[in-house]
Amino acid sequence: MEATSSTSHDPALFHAPLLHHPRRWSSRPLKGFAVIIGSVVFLLSLVILIVNQSPEPLASNPSSVTEAGSYSMAAQPRGIAEGVSAKSNPSLFDKVGFNWTNAMFYWQRTAYHFQPQKNWMNGPLYHKGWYHLFYQYNPDSAIWGNITWGHAVSKDLIHWFYLPLAMVPDQWYDFNGCWTGSATLLPDGRIVMLYTGSTNDSVQVQNLAYPANLSDPLLLQWLKYPGNPVVVPPTGIEDDEFRDPTTAWLGPDGSWRIAVGTRFNTTIGTALVFQTTNFSDYELLDGVLHAVPGTGMWECVDFYPVAINGSVGLDTTALGPGIKHVLKASLDDTKVDHYAIGTYDMITNKWTPDNPEEDVGIGLKVDYGRYYASKTFFDQSKQRRILYGWVNETDSEADDLEKGWASIQTIPRSVLYDNKTGTHLLQWPVEEVESLRLNATVFKDVVVEAGSVVPLDIGTATQLDILAEFEIETLVLNSTEDEVSDCGDGAVDRSTYGPFGVLVIADDSLSELTPIYFRPLNTSDGSLETYFCADETRSSKAPDVTKRVYGGKIPVLDDENYNMRVLVDHSVVESFGEGGRTVITSRVYPTEAIYGAARLFLFNNASGVNVKATLKIWEMNSAFIRPFPFEETLFQEMVAST
C-alpha cells in the first residue's frame, strides 16, 4: 500500500514570486516555448483519442434526450415540488452557458470515486465478504427523477461492480420514488431494509424490504413486504415532510428503535423515535429524540455511538460507559449536513448535546463543502464505522444532460471520536484507498515566503493523494486583531499569518486554480484562531458553474503543526484538515487546467510570515468500476467461495 518509487527534490529550485495585487496570482513561466508547443500537440492528440474512445456517447444538445430526461428552465429547483431537497441549481439559469467540449466533459468524470455508468446517482452494508452500496438512481436521465435503488458491490470499498437495480418504484406506496433508506443486520443474520416511499398521492411513508435469498452474497433479489407501508406520518406531521429512517438500534427491553426526520411548525427540525419488535408493526414513542428550533426539515438523520477512547468503531446498538452518541441531520433548508456529539438516555429516548451552542444545525458540519445526505454504517469485518456522502454537480442541468451523468459518492471515510479535543469527530479516507498509490514525490522543508507561489514539479496533477505539513517560521509580535474573518473572500484576502496551503487543479499561468488553505487569525485577546478553507472562485473560467469559498474553524492544538490531506480526482477534491477534524469537498470544472495541463503549487499569501512545508505526494491509479462479470467463471467461483 506504499508507493512503488519515491523522489525527493531540492526546494530551492522551485521558487516563483506572487504579485501583491489583491486579485491576481502570478508565477514565472516554468517551461520553454518548445516544451509548450509539444504539450499542445500532445493535448490535441489526447483530446482526439478521448473523443474517439469515450465509453458513453454524449448528447449533442439537451433537446436530444428522452422525454423522461427533458430539461426545463424551471424557476423552482428540481425536487422541491416532489417534497425533497433541491436537486438542481436555479441560480445558474441566467448564466451564459459555456461551450464545453466532449473532451472537457470526459475529463470531469472521476477515476477512483464511485459513480454510476451514466445518469443520476442509501443503505450500505457488509454481507458475506462483500460491501454493498445502494444508491438513489435515475435510470432514465442525468437529472433527478424516477428514483430507483441502484446497487453495487465491492471487496475493498474502492473497486466496484454494478449490479442490477435492487428496487424500482412499482407499488402504490413508492409510486413516486424509492427514496433514502437504511439497512439493519439482525443478530440471527437476517437483513431488513427500511426506506421512504413517495406514494401515488405524494405522501411520504416508510416501507420494509428484505433479501429474497440470504445465502446469496450479492443479494441480487429484494422483496417488498406485502403489508407496506409500515409507518405513516403521525398526526400533526406534514405528509410530505416525513422521511429517511435510520438504522435500527436494540434497546434493553428487547425492542428495536428507529428515528425518522421531520419538522414541526415548518421551522423546528426534529427526529421522531418509533419502536418495533418485528419491523412490521411500529409504535411512536412519547416526545422526540431531539429537536432544534430554526433548523427546518431534517433529512437523512443518522444516529450512532462512538467510543471516547477513539480506537474502534461501534455497532449501532452499543451503549454504556465510555460511549457518546452522534446525531446528524441533513438540513433541507440549507443543504448542509450538521452533527453534534452528546449523551443518549435509552430510558427516556432523549439525546442531549454536550454543548447546546453547537447543537445539530447550528454548530459543526460533517463537511464544509459540496456534500449532502451522508450515511454511516458499521463494518463488522474491521470494527469500524464508515461514512458515505453524496456530492452533486455544481454546473447546470443542461450540462449534466449533455455529458450524460451527474453526482458521485465521496471516498468512504472512517469515523472516530476526537479524544484530543473532545468536541469533534475525525474523518479519514479508508485505508483501502492507499492501494491506488503509485509513485511518490517528497518535498522537505520548502520555505514559502510571504506573498509567493512555489511550483511543485510532479508532472500531471489530476489524480493525487497529498500529505502536507506546514510550520509558521516566525510568530509576529502583533496583537492587532485581523480585519479578515473566517475564510474571507478566498485566498486573495491577506492576513498576518495566512492564508497558506496548496493550489490544486491549476494551470501553469494560474488562470485557473483551487486553493486549499489554512488561515490563522489574530484575535482580540492575542491568540490565534484557525480556519481551514477551499476557494473555488477561480477554479474555472466557465460562467455557468457555482463557485464558492467553503470552510470552517479548526482546532490546532499547541503540540500540532498545520497538516492536511488532499485527495484530487479530476472534478472532485476532498480535503482533510488536522487529521480530519474539518473536511471540505469541492467540485471544480476547469476549462484549461485539465489532462496534462493540470499542475500543483504551494502558496503563502500571508503578509507577515514565511511558512515551511513538507509534502509527500502520490500519483493515484484509477479504480476498476464496471458491471459485474456474471459470465466469467473466475468471478462465479469467487462469489461461491464467500
Side-chain angles (χ1 to χ4, degrees):
M1 299 175 71
E2 188 60 37
T4 56
S5 64
S6 181
T7 305
S8 295
H9 290 277
D10 180 358
L13 300 177
F14 296 99
H15 283 276
L18 173 67
L19 296 183
H20 289 236
H21 190 286
R23 296 289 173 182
R24 179 175 175 85
W25 297 88
S26 177
S27 67
R28 294 189 187 123
L30 302 178
K31 305 293 181 183
F33 181 77
V35 175
I36 294 174
I37 292 297
S39 298
V40 170
V41 173
F42 170 76
L43 285 173
L44 288 175
S45 302
L46 181 60
V47 166
I48 294 171
L49 177 65
I50 288 171
V51 170
N52 290 337
Q53 295 188 356
S54 177
E56 291 294 334
L58 299 171
S60 59
N61 58 66
S63 63
S64 67
V65 300
T66 63
E67 181 179 355
S70 61
Y71 174 69
S72 64
M73 303 288 271
Q76 188 180 60
R78 190 175 301 278
I80 294 295
E82 292 82 0
V84 293
S85 59
K87 310 300 181 186
S88 62
N89 298 315
S91 61
L92 300 177
F93 290 167
D94 61 347
K95 301 292 185 181
V96 176
F98 185 78
N99 187 26
W100 298 100
T101 66
N102 281 4
M104 290 176 180
F105 281 145
Y106 188 87
W107 180 90
Q108 291 174 10
R109 191 172 177 91
T110 60
Y112 60 88
H113 283 71
F114 177 83
Q115 62 185 117
Q117 288 176 285
K118 59 181 180 178
N119 300 341
W120 181 276
M121 148 70 249
N122 294 341
L125 61 89
Y126 180 83
H127 177 68
K128 291 186 177 296
W130 291 90
Y131 293 99
H132 292 253
L133 178 62
F134 302 92
Y135 53 94
Q136 293 188 37
Y137 178 58
N138 183 352
D140 297 328
S141 179
I143 58 176
W144 186 89
N146 186 31
I147 296 302
T148 68
W149 272 35
H151 187 189
V153 292
S154 173
K155 284 287 187 179
D156 61 3
L157 294 169
I158 302 299
H159 304 286
W160 290 92
F161 295 107
Y162 303 120
L163 293 177
L165 298 177
M167 283 193 289
V168 299
D170 58 2
Q171 303 295 322
W172 71 267
Y173 50 78
D174 58 15
F175 180 82
N176 284 307
C178 299
W179 294 352
T180 300
S182 298
T184 301
L185 278 60
L186 304 184
D188 61 6
R190 288 181 297 158
I191 300 172
V192 295
M193 188 77 76
L194 293 170
Y195 72 96
T196 297
S198 179
T199 73
N200 52 353
D201 292 324
S202 296
V203 177
Q204 295 173 11
V205 297
Q206 315 315 317
N207 302 312
L208 171 63
Y210 38 82
N213 179 12
L214 270 176
S215 63
D216 174 16
L218 297 183
L219 299 175
L220 291 174
Q221 302 295 326
W222 288 81
L223 302 175
K224 297 177 182 178
Y225 176 58
N228 280 335
V230 294
V231 184
V232 299
T235 301
I237 297 298
E238 300 160 88
D239 287 348
D240 61 351
E241 302 290 356
F242 178 68
R243 52 187 177 268
D244 309 337
T246 65
T247 296
W249 65 95
L250 187 62
D253 58 358
S255 65
W256 294 87
R257 292 161 173 79
I258 64 167
V260 180
T262 187
R263 68 182 185 183
F264 288 134
N265 297 327
T266 72
T267 62
I268 304 174
T270 306
L272 302 177
V273 178
F274 295 82
Q275 180 174 276
T276 183
T277 57
N278 56 13
F279 287 91
S280 58
D281 301 292
Y282 291 80
E283 174 190 1
L284 174 62
L285 297 181
D286 291 338
V288 299
L289 179 66
H290 194 58
V292 182
T295 57
M297 174 64 194
W298 285 8
E299 299 187 291
C300 302
V301 170
D302 203 5
F303 186 61
Y304 57 90
V306 288
I308 60 174
N309 64 12
S311 59
V312 296
L314 298 177
D315 181 83
T316 308
T317 294
L319 188 70
I323 292 177
K324 295 280 189 179
H325 273 75
V326 176
L327 179 59
K328 168 260 162 185
S330 301
L331 271 56
D332 190 12
D333 290 353
T334 60
K335 311 303 177 291
V336 174
D337 279 18
H338 283 265
Y339 78 91
I341 300 170
T343 302
Y344 173 54
D345 186 330
M346 178 70 77
I347 304 302
T348 62
N349 288 295
K350 307 291 184 187
W351 175 89
T352 304
D354 288 347
N355 180 3
E357 294 183 359
E358 296 281 347
D359 208 342
V360 178
I362 61 175
L364 298 173
K365 299 177 183 179
V366 177
D367 188 300
Y368 287 76
R370 192 75 175 189
Y371 181 94
Y372 197 62
S374 60
K375 173 67 183 173
T376 67
F377 78 101
F378 178 63
D379 176 10
Q380 68 271 30
S381 70
K382 292 192 174 182
Q383 299 297 299
R384 58 184 176 176
R385 182 157 292 273
I386 294 175
L387 170 70
Y388 274 101
W390 171 65
V391 185
N392 66 346
E393 308 300 311
T394 57
D395 57 1
S396 69
E397 280 191 341
D399 291 338
D400 295 342
L401 288 167
E402 190 164 354
K403 66 190 177 188
W405 53 267
S407 304
I408 64 169
Q409 294 283 334
T410 58
I411 290 297
R413 303 170 184 173
S414 63
V415 179
L416 291 172
Y417 177 78
D418 181 8
N419 54 21
K420 291 184 71 175
T421 64
T423 57
H424 287 63
L425 294 177
L426 296 175
Q427 304 174 49
W428 200 247
V430 293
E431 61 184 358
E432 288 88 342
V433 75
E434 297 171 18
S435 66
L436 298 178
R437 288 173 171 174
L438 299 173
N439 54 297
T441 305
V442 176
F443 298 88
K444 294 183 178 179
D445 298 332
V446 182
V447 176
V448 190
E449 297 178 353
S452 69
V453 171
V454 178
L456 297 174
D457 186 11
I458 61 168
T460 302
T462 290
Q463 295 172 213
L464 301 175
D465 186 353
I466 305 165
L467 289 175
E469 183 172 86
F470 300 87
E471 181 180 356
I472 296 176
E473 282 211 309
T474 304
L475 288 177
V476 177
L477 297 178
N478 181 4
S479 60
T480 303
E481 186 174 4
D482 282 314
E483 295 182 1
V484 177
S485 61
D486 52 63
C487 293
D489 290 329
V492 295
D493 271 356
R494 305 185 74 179
S495 54
T496 305
Y497 295 107
F500 56 82
V502 295
L503 306 177
V504 300
I505 308 296
D507 63 342
D508 278 340
S509 67
L510 298 181
S511 65
E512 291 182 326
L513 48 83
T514 301
I516 310 298
Y517 59 92
F518 291 101
R519 185 190 293 280
L521 296 173
N522 273 318
T523 62
S524 57
D525 64 4
S527 63
L528 287 181
E529 183 176 84
T530 302
Y531 290 81
F532 185 54
C533 313
D535 178 3
E536 301 172 356
T537 57
R538 294 189 62 183
S539 62
S540 174
K541 293 182 177 180
D544 56 339
V545 171
T546 300
K547 290 166 281 191
R548 297 176 178 169
V549 179
Y550 292 105
K553 188 184 300 185
I554 185 168
V556 181
L557 305 185
D558 290 341
D559 61 344
E560 297 175 340
N561 284 332
Y562 300 91
N563 66 81
M564 67 171 72
R565 182 177 182 182
V566 182
L567 297 178
V568 179
D569 186 7
H570 295 257
S571 64
V572 63
V573 180
E574 295 188 62
S575 306
F576 303 80
E578 299 301 307
R581 285 185 192 135
T582 299
V583 184
I584 309 169
T585 299
S586 306
R587 294 306 303 271
V588 296
Y589 307 88
T591 62
E592 297 181 6
I594 59 177
Y595 297 110
R599 295 287 183 264
L600 178 68
F601 298 82
L602 286 168
F603 83 97
N604 175 17
N605 209 25
S607 60
V609 297
N610 297 339
V611 296
K612 185 165 60 176
T614 295
L615 305 93
K616 190 168 187 178
I617 305 160
W618 290 268
E619 180 186 358
M620 295 291 277
N621 205 347
S622 299
F624 294 101
I625 303 174
R626 59 192 179 97
F628 193 93
F630 289 102
E631 71 285 355
E632 296 182 19
T633 303
L634 175 62
F635 282 90
Q636 292 174 353
E637 293 175 352
M638 180 188 301
V639 172
S641 68
T642 59

